[in-house]
Amino acid sequence: PKRATAEEAVLGYLENHDDIPDSHLFADQAKLNHDDIANAIKSLTGHRYVDSQEITKETWLLTEEGKTYAVHGTPEVRLFLSIPQQGITKDELQKKFDASVFKIACAQAAKNKWVDFGKQLVTRKIQHVDNDKVQTLLLRIQDAKEIQDISQDDIKALTKRKLISLQVKKGFSVRRGLNYAPQRKKVATDLTRDMLQSGDWKDLEYKDFNLNAKGAPTERVFKAIFLNDIAEAESANFQVRKQLKDIFLQMGFGEMPTNNYVESSFWNFDALFQPQQHPARDSHDTFFLKVPSTTKELPEDYVERVKRIHESGGHQSRGYGYDWKREEADKNLLRTHTTAVSSRMLYKLAQDCAQKPFTPKKYFSIDRVFRNEAVDRTHLAEFHQIEGLICDRGLTLGDLIGVLQDFFSRLGMSDLKFKPAYNPYTEPSMEIFGYHKGFGKYVEIGNSGMFRPEMLLPMGLPEDVSVIAWGLSLERPTMILYGIDNIRDLFGHKVDLGLIKKNPICRIGLESD
Ligand code: PHE
């Protein structure tokens, strides 16, 4: 309605006038808000009812300080007038003014050489000050809002004293346009049955459709009851997980069964040639189970071979040379990495090899792991790991690097670097770094290596079979790809459902920026 009134005013005025030279003046005269006038002009210009040109208008205005001087006179003049012929002590003089005004008054009066600030008395240096020149200037500017007949020096001085300031206003000058009409034509928004039947449709003008307009966001209905489940199912994490699963499937990987959060130390550590004194096996790093505290069964002959390789080696290894304890291996824990899943899978594969010839395998898993860590913006006590492995004859580190390149570029991270690392179960081992455009640097995205013979041979895999493998947390690429800097925004009870709804379905593969 405001815009309609403004529009009517503009079109109506142009019916009997050639132009509107200044939209600000026009708004003032029509007693309309200039923003409404400006919006109407823009819209009318778009439809060529009018032609308009942007103009800028400079107005000089008094500042609050300037306004008080215009009314009461400047502090320096008031100070001068307060000094009697015979002089006055500074204390007496000061009593007549506010502290801040007094300061300004003294400074200006001294500058003008009007007043002598003696040790005992403040006295007049000149007989009288005719008029308050600054006040006069201010009054003129206040009335005219212009500075045409005021000298540059005066303007400079007033500006410097912050008594006046320049306001630049953008406005329009307007004249009739190609499609000018004193009133905007009504445009049809819909084609109706009536218009078709009456034939009106031929003469009507139609409102353009905006085919680029985005639809209103749809409200989602959450079926789940627990916030954590809702959050997770809808989360960026979930989207990335789905995408990763597709990548693995496209690359010909089969999924490993991961449905056991509770694992024995044996499969989580010992089978992976991780010594029993290793710091990761401390309760500071690992959640051990109270009930049931130990595992029910392990493959005894394999346990025996694992014990031997830890204690005294074999297969050209010297082992660690310590007393391997079954009680340690039996302890139940929440798995600390999905490499526990890989160790079970490889053991099973080795058992198959006893019956039928070895065939190459590619496996992956994506599931939850647990670490007893202090929770902060990049660490949670539970998170998800992605694990991939390839098992074949004659594999080299080159194969591993090639597979990683392929895998991560499908994820949108194609610029990788590798750094030698150490894992008890792989040799060589490499940390994986990916270049992140947004951060402008390489960030750690995973860990990888070739499983050691000390892990593979006790399982019973053929001697010439190698396994290349890598692992990473799901949260890491999700955070990088979605630009989330606090892991708690992503997973767990503090997930922001608003963020989840707003995030695009999947940004992966776009080489994040
Ligand atoms: N298990 C390792 C981790 O938790 C990742 C990894 C998997 C490393 C496979 C090498 C090979 O970080």
Side-chain angles (χ1 to χ4, degrees), residues 337 339 371 385 387 423 425-426 447-449 451 469-471:
H337 54 180
T339 315
R371 290 192 193 166
Q385 265 193 342
E387 181 110 356
N423 296 309
Y425 38 91
T426 53
N447 188 355
S448 66
F451 283 135
W470 71 100

mmCIF file of all heavy atoms in Angstrom, residues 337 339 371 385 387 423 425-426 447-449 451 469-471, ligand 1:
data_model
loop_
_atom_site.group_PDB
_atom_site.id
_atom_site.type_symbol
_atom_site.label_atom_id
_atom_site.label_comp_id
_atom_site.label_asym_id
_atom_site.label_seq_id
_atom_site.Cartn_x
_atom_site.Cartn_y
_atom_site.Cartn_z
ATOM 1 N N HIS A 337 39.023 -48.827 17.209
ATOM 2 C CA HIS A 337 39.132 -48.554 15.768
ATOM 3 C C HIS A 337 38.460 -49.684 15.003
ATOM 4 O O HIS A 337 38.247 -50.781 15.537
ATOM 5 C CB HIS A 337 40.589 -48.369 15.326
ATOM 6 C CG HIS A 337 41.520 -49.491 15.691
ATOM 7 N ND1 HIS A 337 42.851 -49.498 15.375
ATOM 8 C CD2 HIS A 337 41.303 -50.669 16.341
ATOM 9 C CE1 HIS A 337 43.407 -50.609 15.817
ATOM 10 N NE2 HIS A 337 42.506 -51.338 16.406
ATOM 11 N N THR A 339 39.749 -51.165 12.664
ATOM 12 C CA THR A 339 40.761 -52.141 12.237
ATOM 13 C C THR A 339 40.537 -53.468 12.976
ATOM 14 O O THR A 339 40.965 -54.525 12.504
ATOM 15 C CB THR A 339 42.174 -51.565 12.451
ATOM 16 O OG1 THR A 339 42.182 -50.218 11.970
ATOM 17 C CG2 THR A 339 43.211 -52.341 11.676
ATOM 18 N N ARG A 371 36.735 -43.836 22.074
ATOM 19 C CA ARG A 371 38.012 -43.576 22.741
ATOM 20 C C ARG A 371 37.777 -42.725 23.975
ATOM 21 O O ARG A 371 36.987 -41.787 23.949
ATOM 22 C CB ARG A 371 38.999 -42.884 21.799
ATOM 23 C CG ARG A 371 39.444 -43.854 20.724
ATOM 24 C CD ARG A 371 40.602 -43.381 19.924
ATOM 25 N NE ARG A 371 40.723 -44.243 18.736
ATOM 26 C CZ ARG A 371 41.460 -43.965 17.686
ATOM 27 N NH1 ARG A 371 42.163 -42.847 17.652
ATOM 28 N NH2 ARG A 371 41.514 -44.798 16.670
ATOM 29 N N GLN A 385 34.514 -44.358 12.115
ATOM 30 C CA GLN A 385 35.712 -44.569 11.304
ATOM 31 C C GLN A 385 35.351 -45.191 9.969
ATOM 32 O O GLN A 385 34.405 -45.969 9.858
ATOM 33 C CB GLN A 385 36.695 -45.476 12.034
ATOM 34 C CG GLN A 385 37.732 -44.691 12.810
ATOM 35 C CD GLN A 385 38.876 -45.552 13.271
ATOM 36 O OE1 GLN A 385 38.786 -46.772 13.321
ATOM 37 N NE2 GLN A 385 39.967 -44.906 13.615
ATOM 38 N N GLU A 387 37.105 -47.401 7.018
ATOM 39 C CA GLU A 387 38.244 -48.298 6.894
ATOM 40 C C GLU A 387 38.158 -48.982 5.539
ATOM 41 O O GLU A 387 37.074 -49.408 5.122
ATOM 42 C CB GLU A 387 38.150 -49.334 8.024
ATOM 43 C CG GLU A 387 39.265 -50.321 8.050
ATOM 44 C CD GLU A 387 40.182 -50.083 9.248
ATOM 45 O OE1 GLU A 387 39.975 -49.096 9.988
ATOM 46 O OE2 GLU A 387 41.101 -50.894 9.409
ATOM 47 N N ASN A 423 52.542 -47.273 12.930
ATOM 48 C CA ASN A 423 51.461 -48.028 13.545
ATOM 49 C C ASN A 423 52.039 -49.387 13.894
ATOM 50 O O ASN A 423 52.842 -49.922 13.128
ATOM 51 C CB ASN A 423 50.300 -48.285 12.578
ATOM 52 C CG ASN A 423 49.620 -47.008 12.131
ATOM 53 O OD1 ASN A 423 49.248 -46.190 12.948
ATOM 54 N ND2 ASN A 423 49.468 -46.847 10.833
ATOM 55 N N TYR A 425 50.754 -52.159 13.563
ATOM 56 C CA TYR A 425 50.298 -53.211 12.647
ATOM 57 C C TYR A 425 50.602 -52.951 11.188
ATOM 58 O O TYR A 425 50.288 -53.767 10.333
ATOM 59 C CB TYR A 425 48.787 -53.443 12.823
ATOM 60 C CG TYR A 425 48.006 -52.174 13.069
ATOM 61 C CD1 TYR A 425 47.461 -51.453 12.022
ATOM 62 C CD2 TYR A 425 47.852 -51.687 14.369
ATOM 63 C CE1 TYR A 425 46.774 -50.278 12.260
ATOM 64 C CE2 TYR A 425 47.162 -50.509 14.607
ATOM 65 C CZ TYR A 425 46.628 -49.812 13.551
ATOM 66 O OH TYR A 425 45.960 -48.635 13.792
ATOM 67 N N THR A 426 51.166 -51.781 10.852
ATOM 68 C CA THR A 426 51.525 -51.551 9.448
ATOM 69 C C THR A 426 52.991 -51.155 9.314
ATOM 70 O O THR A 426 53.556 -50.525 10.194
ATOM 71 C CB THR A 426 50.663 -50.431 8.812
ATOM 72 O OG1 THR A 426 50.731 -49.271 9.625
ATOM 73 C CG2 THR A 426 49.218 -50.863 8.644
ATOM 74 N N ASN A 447 45.088 -42.161 7.899
ATOM 75 C CA ASN A 447 46.271 -42.938 8.250
ATOM 76 C C ASN A 447 46.204 -44.208 7.411
ATOM 77 O O ASN A 447 45.128 -44.670 7.057
ATOM 78 C CB ASN A 447 46.181 -43.231 9.749
ATOM 79 C CG ASN A 447 47.423 -43.859 10.310
ATOM 80 O OD1 ASN A 447 48.370 -44.189 9.582
ATOM 81 N ND2 ASN A 447 47.428 -44.039 11.612
ATOM 82 N N SER A 448 47.363 -44.744 7.079
ATOM 83 C CA SER A 448 47.330 -45.896 6.176
ATOM 84 C C SER A 448 48.604 -46.716 6.301
ATOM 85 O O SER A 448 49.536 -46.321 7.004
ATOM 86 C CB SER A 448 47.205 -45.405 4.742
ATOM 87 O OG SER A 448 48.378 -44.702 4.376
ATOM 88 N N GLY A 449 48.648 -47.819 5.599
ATOM 89 C CA GLY A 449 49.873 -48.616 5.602
ATOM 90 C C GLY A 449 49.654 -49.986 4.998
ATOM 91 O O GLY A 449 48.582 -50.292 4.470
ATOM 92 N N PHE A 451 49.747 -53.888 6.066
ATOM 93 C CA PHE A 451 49.729 -54.705 7.279
ATOM 94 C C PHE A 451 51.001 -55.546 7.374
ATOM 95 O O PHE A 451 51.492 -56.089 6.385
ATOM 96 C CB PHE A 451 48.487 -55.598 7.317
ATOM 97 C CG PHE A 451 47.230 -54.852 7.696
ATOM 98 C CD1 PHE A 451 46.046 -55.052 6.999
ATOM 99 C CD2 PHE A 451 47.233 -53.954 8.761
ATOM 100 C CE1 PHE A 451 44.885 -54.374 7.350
ATOM 101 C CE2 PHE A 451 46.074 -53.280 9.125
ATOM 102 C CZ PHE A 451 44.905 -53.480 8.407
ATOM 103 N N ALA A 469 45.943 -50.923 3.503
ATOM 104 C CA ALA A 469 44.756 -50.507 4.236
ATOM 105 C C ALA A 469 44.859 -49.041 4.639
ATOM 106 O O ALA A 469 45.953 -48.481 4.712
ATOM 107 C CB ALA A 469 44.585 -51.361 5.493
ATOM 108 N N TRP A 470 43.710 -48.461 4.864
ATOM 109 C CA TRP A 470 43.705 -47.089 5.390
ATOM 110 C C TRP A 470 42.488 -46.860 6.264
ATOM 111 O O TRP A 470 41.521 -47.619 6.191
ATOM 112 C CB TRP A 470 43.764 -46.059 4.271
ATOM 113 C CG TRP A 470 42.541 -45.926 3.438
ATOM 114 C CD1 TRP A 470 41.586 -44.980 3.543
ATOM 115 C CD2 TRP A 470 42.139 -46.779 2.353
ATOM 116 N NE1 TRP A 470 40.616 -45.179 2.590
ATOM 117 C CE2 TRP A 470 40.926 -46.277 1.842
ATOM 118 C CE3 TRP A 470 42.690 -47.923 1.754
ATOM 119 C CZ2 TRP A 470 40.249 -46.859 0.791
ATOM 120 C CZ3 TRP A 470 42.015 -48.505 0.704
ATOM 121 C CH2 TRP A 470 40.811 -47.980 0.222
ATOM 122 N N GLY A 471 42.598 -45.878 7.104
ATOM 123 C CA GLY A 471 41.497 -45.574 8.005
ATOM 124 C C GLY A 471 41.430 -44.077 8.246
ATOM 125 O O GLY A 471 42.437 -43.370 8.141
HETATM 126 N N1 PHE B 1 43.426 -47.888 12.746
HETATM 127 C C1 PHE B 1 44.064 -46.685 12.369
HETATM 128 C C2 PHE B 1 43.501 -45.537 13.244
HETATM 129 O O1 PHE B 1 42.668 -45.779 14.066
HETATM 130 C C3 PHE B 1 43.850 -46.330 10.930
HETATM 131 C C4 PHE B 1 44.533 -47.322 10.019
HETATM 132 C C5 PHE B 1 43.791 -48.296 9.381
HETATM 133 C C6 PHE B 1 45.881 -47.245 9.801
HETATM 134 C C7 PHE B 1 44.402 -49.194 8.528
HETATM 135 C C8 PHE B 1 46.504 -48.119 8.928
HETATM 136 C C9 PHE B 1 45.753 -49.080 8.304
HETATM 137 O O2 PHE B 1 43.912 -44.403 13.118
#
